Amino acid sequence: MKLATFNINGVNKRLENLLVWLEEAEPDIVCLQELKATDEQFPRSVIEGAGYGAVCCGQSAWNGVAILARDVEPILTRAELPGDPSDSHSRYIEAAVNGILVASLYAPNGNPQPGPKFDYKLAWHARFARHAATLFETGLPVVLAGDYNIVPEPRDIYPTRSYDDNALVQPESRAAFQSLLDLGWLDALRKLNPQDELFTFWDYRRNRWQRNAGLRLDHILLSRKLTRRLIAAGIDRAVRGRENASDHAPVWITLRR
């Protein structure tokens, strides 16, 4: 079973890119982020025509998350992150697919920091950690996949001082990610590529793609029941270099059925 996460950066603007990648990569489950489309604007019929059922939680102009499943309809189990009824951002969705509970998440960026956006980022991650702990304790096979907007370690960003004040690399942000690993969640991509350079995002500005000035922001975390089934993990870097590309590349894992 192949599962992927992809910050598409506008599902309608990048629809052709998405369809080409789906045909090439043939993932069984796809977590999408940053749809930048309402539920009504989500291109459901086109995606269904490509062979994928879908559930989504959209939002106009920004945010938005979805889960696609090949040849099956995902069963929606949650369309928001619990813990703050006042939070109107569409950043979290869960669905059951082929015996696995899958979450697609688009965590807050948090810039500029310090300030209210960074405070929101940390509060969101604290809520996420509480929910992740609850999911982990169930013992079910669970995947938490998406754009965490956190660079976990210094080696997950190209050599630079330009991000020193960025919310993505702050100690509090990295501690939030580490807290998930401390709960027992497995960072699948890093587990199978312990020494490799792993970038999943290249900003459009300052020729960062051309210079390979990347960051690792997109992560797939596995509950204990799935760690024994992990057999491969990688990044479809070539997708980032195509015309009209998202600034993220898809990240994928393969699980033994």
Side-chain angles (χ1 to χ4, degrees), residues 93-149:
I93 192 170
E94 281 177 16
V97 184
N98 293 330
I100 297 176
L101 186 64
V102 179
S104 177
L105 62 115
Y106 177 47
N109 176 281
N111 284 302
Q113 74 83 31
K117 291 187 176 181
F118 190 59
D119 294 342
Y120 170 63
K121 177 188 185 73
L122 297 181
W124 192 96
H125 273 288
R127 287 164 52 206
F128 178 54
R130 290 193 294 271
H131 185 54
T134 299
L135 292 175
F136 195 86
E137 289 166 4
T138 67
L140 294 170
V142 184
V143 176
L144 307 177
D147 179 356
Y148 284 64
N149 264 316

Side-chain angles (χ1 to χ4, degrees), residues 14-211:
R14 323 281 179 201
L15 184 56
E16 184 60 31
N17 300 63
L18 174 62
L19 295 174
V20 169
W21 172 73
L22 288 174
E23 184 175 4
E24 292 174 346
E26 297 184 328
D28 298 292
I29 303 170
V30 181
C31 296
L32 295 178
Q33 302 87 40
E34 210 169 352
L35 302 178
K36 297 183 178 179
T38 64
D39 290 354
E40 293 75 20
Q41 294 167 334
F42 184 76
R44 184 178 304 276
S45 61
V46 178
I47 288 173
E48 289 176 349
Y52 287 83
V55 291
C56 71
C57 182
Q59 193 165 3
S60 179
W62 65 85
N63 302 331
V65 285
I67 298 171
L68 317 184
R70 187 166 59 166
D71 299 328
V72 68
E73 290 295 327
I75 301 172
L76 181 67
T77 58
R78 180 176 290 278
E80 75 290 319
L81 184 66
D84 184 0
S86 68
D87 187 355
S88 61
H89 290 196
S90 297
R91 295 186 176 275
Y92 188 87
I93 192 170
E94 281 177 16
V97 184
N98 293 330
I100 297 176
L101 186 64
V102 179
S104 177
L105 62 115
Y106 177 47
N109 176 281
N111 284 302
Q113 74 83 31
K117 291 187 176 181
F118 190 59
D119 294 342
Y120 170 63
K121 177 188 185 73
L122 297 181
W124 192 96
H125 273 288
R127 287 164 52 206
F128 178 54
R130 290 193 294 271
H131 185 54
T134 299
L135 292 175
F136 195 86
E137 289 166 4
T138 67
L140 294 170
V142 184
V143 176
L144 307 177
D147 179 356
Y148 284 64
N149 264 316
I150 293 174
V151 176
E153 303 175 76
R155 63 175 171 165
D156 292 319
I157 182 171
Y158 72 101
T160 182
R161 299 299 303 273
S162 63
Y163 276 86
D164 284 2
D165 294 328
N166 197 289
L168 307 177
V169 303
Q170 295 310 301
E172 300 93 330
S173 301
R174 287 176 168 164
F177 189 83
Q178 183 62 44
S179 72
L180 297 168
L181 306 185
D182 292 343
L183 286 170
W185 293 95
L186 180 73
D187 180 352
L189 186 62
R190 181 53 75 188
K191 174 65 176 180
L192 294 190
N193 301 274
Q195 304 301 327
D196 294 347
E197 174 186 273
L198 299 173
F199 297 156
T200 68
F201 166 85
W202 297 259
D203 196 292
Y204 293 125
R205 296 168 294 182
R206 300 179 182 175
N207 292 315
R208 286 192 172 100
W209 167 249
Q210 292 80 357
R211 296 189 291 119

